[in-house]
Amino acid sequence: MKRKSAVNRVLLALTGVVLLGAGLLMLAGGFDLYRRWNLRPPQDWPLSTPHAVLLGEAGRTRWTDEGWWWPVVIAALAVVVLLALWWLLAQLRRTHPGPLPVGGPTATDGVELREGALSEALAADVRRQPGVRDARVRMTGRADRPEAHVDLVLTPGSEPGPVLEALCEGPVERARRSTGRARLRARARLRVAPHKPHRAQ
């Protein structure tokens, strides 16, 4: 989740810098600042004077008489708009609960627990369980219905059944009680740690 947020921020920052730079260059050409301030526009930049255009008439009308031109343009614009809307909705949708009220969603004392602190505490508790070599936990869902996603790396030879039973009755139950919730959903994904194959004697 942290990596996804960091990638989103970097992409947003890069997009903003590119759009801001392009906008400033266009404004400089539109207000004729290159000539007034004796500035040199970027090489091959077409919008360096107030009357300059990005595409000349020949470029704009080159394919307009072709039958396939407008359907292709409309389809491309529709795809761009749909992708932009999908990305925007993905950013707006909360995929993690945020601060969790201790005592459950109906608690009124104002005490909250960071989801990262709960994830780290739960992962540390899971790592102490028999048959578990490593564990990572991330919280998803809403603040009133959080869900723990547990990635387990089992030691070679351990059985998934007892490990899952111990996970539910131990760390998950302790996390539920410590946060004062009536229920804490959990999903587990199990992997076995790499090990050398056993040879039959």
Side-chain angles (χ1 to χ4, degrees):
M1 189 62 64
K2 291 181 179 179
R3 177 179 294 181
K4 180 180 177 181
S5 300
V7 170
N8 286 339
R9 292 191 187 99
V10 170
L11 290 178
L12 284 174
L14 291 177
T15 303
V17 168
V18 170
L19 292 177
L20 178 62
L24 291 176
L25 290 176
M26 291 180 185
L27 285 175
F31 288 108
D32 203 17
L33 298 182
Y34 296 114
R35 182 185 61 81
R36 293 180 182 178
W37 294 352
N38 294 323
L39 299 176
R40 179 176 296 178
Q43 188 176 3
D44 298 329
W45 180 250
L47 306 176
S48 57
T49 63
H51 302 291
V53 293
L54 187 61
L55 287 175
E57 184 176 358
R60 295 195 309 270
T61 61
R62 180 178 181 182
W63 306 106
T64 53
D65 293 335
E66 301 292 336
W68 55 267
W69 170 250
W70 290 113
V72 168
V73 170
I74 293 173
L77 291 176
V79 169
V80 170
V81 170
L82 290 175
L83 288 175
L85 288 175
W86 170 81
W87 182 82
L88 178 62
L89 292 175
Q91 304 310 307
L92 295 177
R93 186 180 61 227
R94 291 183 65 90
T95 57
H96 55 94
L100 300 169
V102 176
T106 60
T108 58
D109 54 5
V111 179
E112 292 182 336
L113 176 66
R114 289 190 308 108
E115 62 171 283
L118 179 59
S119 299
E120 293 169 5
L122 183 54
D125 195 1
V126 174
R127 293 188 192 102
R128 290 192 290 266
Q129 301 302 303
V132 176
R133 173 169 293 182
D134 193 14
R136 291 189 304 172
V137 178
R138 61 185 178 90
M139 304 300 297
T140 62
R142 304 192 307 266
D144 58 340
R145 295 183 61 186
E147 183 173 321
H149 288 251
V150 185
D151 291 331
L152 292 172
V153 179
L154 305 182
T155 57
S158 60
E159 298 182 5
V163 171
L164 286 177
E165 184 176 354
L167 171 67
C168 295
E169 295 179 356
V172 174
E173 178 63 17
R174 285 191 286 272
R176 183 195 66 79
R177 290 200 309 266
S178 64
T179 55
R181 296 182 173 274
R183 183 182 184 188
L184 178 61
R185 294 172 58 88
R187 294 177 182 269
R189 184 175 63 178
L190 282 67
R191 293 183 294 115
V192 178
H195 60 283
K196 295 181 179 179
H198 297 289
R199 294 184 179 180
Q201 299 295 333

